[in-house]
Amino acid sequence: MARRLAPEVNAGSMADIAFLLLIFFLVSTTIETDYGISRRLPPLPEEIKPDAFVKEKNLFRVELNQVNELFVEKKPLRLEQLKAAAIAFLDNGGGVATEYCGYCKGTRDPKSSDNPNKAIISLINSRETNYEAYIAVQNELISAYNELRNREAVRIYGVSFTEMKAQLKDVNHSGDKTKLRERIKEIQSMYPEKLSEAEPVTAEL
């Protein structure tokens, strides 16, 4: 009796089909990109001063509670008002003698910050704070710094701080990048970004 051979399936083209499907999914799939805050952490201080003293008037307290309510100096504030409030604090220039700020254009209220180099923004969040609200507050605070830096960059060099940073990144920029880098550092030193974030809290603010 003759043996019957099992039928064979030609799988030679299956690899091609799998490869084509893989290419199709790679081309048609959109990959979600993460979003967040791009920030470089400051370097470790050369000398740690455990007893560093900060005057109360040089602290600008911003709090975001578990239901995304914003408080500045313990008073409720709308998000749209935060940038202007931060600018008023940073640019106050209430100091005298060695703490006098010649380029500040604020009201020079003696009860507010002495000098931009002394001014610290302290941000406290709740662990239950919405991420979008947290990002929105951060954006407003960074925007306040950028606006002041732009103002001074235009006054001194005739070009905004934002434009200077763009020129530094531009590979086709024909200017002197060493000088440009020095100018950026100078403007940053006039309004140093001193944004302190405390450990998130779980209790109600």
Side-chain angles (χ1 to χ4, degrees):
M1 183 176 176
R3 292 179 58 189
R4 297 183 61 185
L5 297 176
E8 293 183 0
V9 177
N10 184 5
S13 61
M14 295 296 286
D16 295 337
I17 294 172
F19 183 72
L20 289 173
L21 285 173
L22 178 63
I23 296 294
F24 171 76
F25 283 114
L26 286 175
V27 171
S28 62
T29 303
T30 55
I31 301 174
E32 289 189 8
T33 54
D34 294 332
Y35 65 98
I37 300 172
S38 175
R39 182 172 298 167
R40 180 180 296 177
L41 294 176
L44 288 173
E46 296 178 359
E47 181 183 359
I48 298 176
K49 298 178 180 178
D51 299 326
F53 175 73
V54 178
K55 293 180 183 176
E56 188 67 26
K57 66 177 184 175
N58 286 325
L59 274 179
F60 186 71
R61 300 181 191 279
V62 180
E63 301 174 359
L64 200 54
N65 70 9
Q66 71 279 5
V67 291
N68 306 317
E69 292 173 331
L70 180 64
F71 293 85
V72 172
E73 301 294 349
K74 302 294 182 183
K75 297 178 181 176
L77 193 77
R78 295 200 311 274
L79 180 65
E80 307 83 61
Q81 300 172 306
L82 179 59
K83 179 180 170 182
I87 288 175
F89 168 75
L90 294 169
D91 201 36
N92 179 59
V96 294
T98 58
E99 295 181 337
Y100 180 77
C101 174
Y103 52 87
C104 289
K105 302 188 185 307
T107 59
R108 303 194 183 279
D109 180 0
K111 295 180 181 177
S112 188
S113 73
D114 290 325
N115 189 294
N117 283 295
K118 301 286 184 182
I120 299 173
I121 295 179
S122 173
L123 178 59
I124 301 175
N125 301 290
S126 168
R127 292 189 187 280
E128 293 80 19
T129 297
N130 183 289
Y131 188 65
E132 284 73 19
Y134 170 78
I135 294 292
V137 167
Q138 288 275 347
N139 285 340
E140 291 299 309
L141 295 177
I142 298 302
S143 178
Y145 280 106
N146 285 336
E147 184 166 321
L148 291 169
R149 289 173 173 177
N150 281 335
R151 185 192 75 193
E152 290 307 305
V154 169
R155 180 178 67 84
I156 299 172
Y157 301 116
V159 59
S160 73
F161 179 75
T162 306
E163 182 65 22
M164 289 166 70
K165 288 178 70 178
Q167 290 175 354
L168 187 63
K169 292 180 180 177
D170 186 1
V171 294
N172 297 319
H173 179 62
S174 58
D176 186 344
K177 288 204 171 184
T178 302
K179 184 180 290 183
L180 183 61
R181 195 173 287 109
E182 290 173 357
R183 289 179 175 181
I184 288 174
K185 285 184 179 178
E186 181 188 347
I187 297 299
Q188 286 174 328
S189 69
M190 295 174 78
Y191 289 99
E193 191 179 299
K194 294 187 176 182
L195 186 56
S196 167
E197 286 192 57
E199 184 79 13
V201 294
T202 52
E204 291 186 5
L205 294 173

